[in-house]
């Protein structure tokens, strides 16, 4: 397929937006289930950063995306690093809700974007690719959050911190396994 013949990113935009909203909703639901201590506790060498620090980091990345979206120019190195989000579970919930509402207002954008992360160089990207990044990045940090909470004796749920593709794979395996059992 030629570059010019590629499909438009509008359906990708809708699917990626929905996936990002889904993981952010998972975060909201989790924060409603844990207490302030579980949100902020660290355990030295086991985990130097608590749940709140990971939530803050994810939300700071979304904020960079949303700030740069109108110009198509996202600088992830200029994260706010909002410490209140890391310490205050209710503030984090409000920020997640704001992020979700602001993401819902994003329309598909097919132009080339400029993105910078972890250094002085800018790269060409797209809105869809940055939504992919945010999804993967958030799931990665949710996996760390799940581990931190499990070490505290709290179960966040089997799907929390698991990539959408992995969840789809698990579903196909369960279906295949169930069909194999019935065939016996």
């Amino acid at each position: 397929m030629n570059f010019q013949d590629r499909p438009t990113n509008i359906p990708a935009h809708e699917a990626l937006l929905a996936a990002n909203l889904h993981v952010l909703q998972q975060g909201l639901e989790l924060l409603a289930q844990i207490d302030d201590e579980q949100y902020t506790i660290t355990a030295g060498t086991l985990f130097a950063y608590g749940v709140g620090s990971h939530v803050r980091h994810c939300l700071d990345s979304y904020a960079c995306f949303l700030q740069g979206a109108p110009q198509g120019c996202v600088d992830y190195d200029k994260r706010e690093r909002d410490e209140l989000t890391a310490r205050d579970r209710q503030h984090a919930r409000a920020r997640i809700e704001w992020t979700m509402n602001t993401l819902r207002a994003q329309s598909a954008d097919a132009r080339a974007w400029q993105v910078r992360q972890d250094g002085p160089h800018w790269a060409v990207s797209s809105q869809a690719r940055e939504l992919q990044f945010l999804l993967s990045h958030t799931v990665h940090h949710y996996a760390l959050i799940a581990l931190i909470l499990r070490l505290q004796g709290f179960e966040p749920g089997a799907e929390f911190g698991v990539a959408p593709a992995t969840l789809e794979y698990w579903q196909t395996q369960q279906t295949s396994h169930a069909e194999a059992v019935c065939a016996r």
Side-chain angles (χ1 to χ4, degrees):
M1 173 186 311
N2 290 333
F3 183 73
Q4 292 81 11
D5 297 332
R6 73 191 190 288
T8 64
N9 74 338
I10 293 172
H13 169 79
E14 292 170 10
L16 289 166
L17 187 61
N20 275 277
L21 292 170
H22 177 75
V23 297
L24 288 167
Q25 182 63 41
Q26 284 182 315
L28 264 182
E29 291 168 6
L30 178 75
L31 295 187
Q33 296 171 17
I34 64 174
D35 61 33
D36 293 336
E37 183 179 4
Q38 290 168 310
Y39 186 70
T40 57
I41 195 169
T42 59
T45 58
L46 282 177
F47 51 95
Y49 300 99
V51 170
S53 294
H54 288 283
V55 170
R56 178 211 43 90
H57 178 73
C58 292
L59 292 174
D60 285 351
S61 294
Y62 277 103
C64 289
F65 170 84
L66 292 167
Q67 182 179 6
Q71 300 81 25
C73 186
V74 179
D75 188 349
Y76 292 109
D77 288 348
K78 293 202 175 181
R79 292 187 312 277
E80 181 181 350
R81 294 171 171 86
D82 176 26
E83 287 303 316
L84 184 57
T85 301
R87 294 188 317 268
D88 186 327
R89 192 168 45 96
Q90 296 311 317
H91 178 73
R93 286 180 54 84
R95 253 188 101 193
I96 292 172
E97 289 170 350
W98 178 87
T99 300
M100 291 173 71
N101 289 333
T102 308
L103 275 173
R104 285 185 189 104
Q106 297 292 304
S107 47
D109 182 349
R111 67 187 159 160
W113 285 30
Q114 293 292 313
V115 176
R116 181 172 76 146
Q117 181 176 9
D118 298 327
H121 304 290
W122 291 84
V124 176
S125 188
S126 67
Q127 180 192 47
R129 179 64 191 112
E130 294 314 303
L131 287 169
Q132 285 176 325
F133 161 73
L134 288 167
L135 177 62
S136 176
H137 180 254
T138 303
V139 169
H140 165 78
H141 281 276
Y142 278 16
L144 295 171
I145 289 169
L147 177 61
I148 290 167
L149 289 171
R150 287 181 180 120
L151 288 170
Q152 295 179 51
F154 178 86
E155 177 53 51
E159 293 187 5
F160 190 86
V162 179
T166 301
L167 293 173
E168 287 178 32
Y169 174 77
W170 286 354
Q171 286 179 328
T172 62
Q173 294 304 302
Q174 288 175 347
T175 301
S176 299
H177 179 68
E179 291 170 354
V181 170
C182 292
R184 289 185 187 166

